[in-house]
Amino acid sequence: MSLSDHLRYLRAMRGGMDTRAIAEAIGLETSGPINRAETQYRPVRDPELVAKLANYYGRPLEEFQWHDARPRKFLTFYAARALETKEPASLTLRSGETLRGRIVWWDLGSIGLEMADGRTIVVMRHAVVDWLDATNWKDV
Amino acid sequence: MAKNLWELRMARHMTVKQLAGKAGVSASDIYAYESGKLVKTAHRARLAKALYVDTYEIKAQSDPKPKKEKPKPAAVQRPSPKPTPAPAKSKTAPPKPVAKKKQKMASKPVRESQITHLLQLARSMGQTETAVTETIGKPLTELTMQEASHWLNRYTEDLQAFKAKRAAESDSERPPNTRRKRYHLPEGVDEFEFNYLTARQEAGDLLAFKLFDGTEMNGRIVGFSPYTITIAPPDGPETTINKIALAYYTVVPTAATPAAEEAV
């Protein structure tokens, strides 16, 4: 799961408060950087902001860095490559469950994973926290 | 302010079939509603979700969609025995006979904007004003409005062909295997999930949904939108699931599928 998705998840778990309130609490003039961090598909690449947000949410910085190393683009690359090579894919969900199968399609919000029994499971992208070789993508 | 169903649908560039798929309302019902039938309350809510509007924004009873009027041939002007009344709220004037319009254009001098547009098109193809004048056979200022219109159409077609040719040439000039792969671009669409859900809805398959918090739900798809899926559980009321709350979902294997046999 990307840091963007993780930030949105944490904010939702806190009742979905306004990003302007967070910006004020961590000493930013505007909520722009937070809004961008929550929506971008690439790594956040602002260590200071990441540290401030980790501190604000009371989470270890390492946790935020771990998520930032798994942006949505990387999952896209992984899905696209797995679809092309037809190699089995392995997706780990936030619940800890790992789903293994062959990716048959993917799009904006979900991934179609064909299981060994021939059924297709539609996995929501925001539920995927980790995948095989997750950080080994340099072509962003 | 409430709008007609067909207005809202057309504003979102959706066909009746697409709206039917998203809302879980049959296409025949939608046709009937757009023709003025009173929309059922349950259907109105579903249609509102699929169209991303609030329920009150859809008129309970739409005004019939005005039909496109076809221009009548100018020569044949038969008086109709019963003059058909104009639609109640239509403010559009009846189309003028085409021949009259053409006659008017033929006699009027060319507009300055037509010349500018013509020259712009020519410049896009690398042609000068002199070349255009030579092609046309007389100075641009001496054209009539009708002639200018004809040349504008022709130059537009030429430009399209010119662009297509240039694109083909630039592709053929590229060394093999150097075309940039941009396979990550389809993430701007959600058509695969849409197709999957449409197929499952049409087949009436029973689906199992696993939510983010571990809750499991079963049901048949009633309707869906980009953000929600409405299901009808086998024993219970319809439920709308926000996709953001979902982890994954799949078809529940029936007794005939190998998966079910293995599970037994």
Side-chain angles (χ1 to χ4, degrees), chain B residues 7 10 50 98-99 114 118 121 142 201 239 247 252:
Chain B
E7 275 183 300
M10 288 170 88
V98 177
Q114 284 180 308
L118 200 55
L121 291 171
E142 286 179 16
Q201 185 181 7
T239 310
V252 175

Side-chain angles (χ1 to χ4, degrees), chain B residues 105-161:
Chain B
M105 282 175 73
S107 59
K108 278 194 170 180
V110 63
R111 283 200 308 253
E112 203 172 307
S113 60
Q114 284 180 308
I115 297 177
T116 314
H117 190 190
L118 200 55
L119 290 174
Q120 270 177 354
L121 291 171
R123 269 197 294 274
S124 304
M125 290 185 282
Q127 293 179 20
T128 59
E129 188 174 345
T130 321
V132 178
T133 312
E134 273 174 22
T135 310
I136 291 173
K138 60 178 171 180
L140 298 179
T141 47
E142 286 179 16
L143 289 170
T144 64
M145 198 189 268
Q146 192 181 14
E147 285 170 339
S149 175
H150 163 77
W151 285 107
L152 275 171
N153 285 338
R154 191 163 152 187
Y155 268 78
T156 307
E157 281 169 18
D158 286 355
L159 180 61
Q160 279 168 355

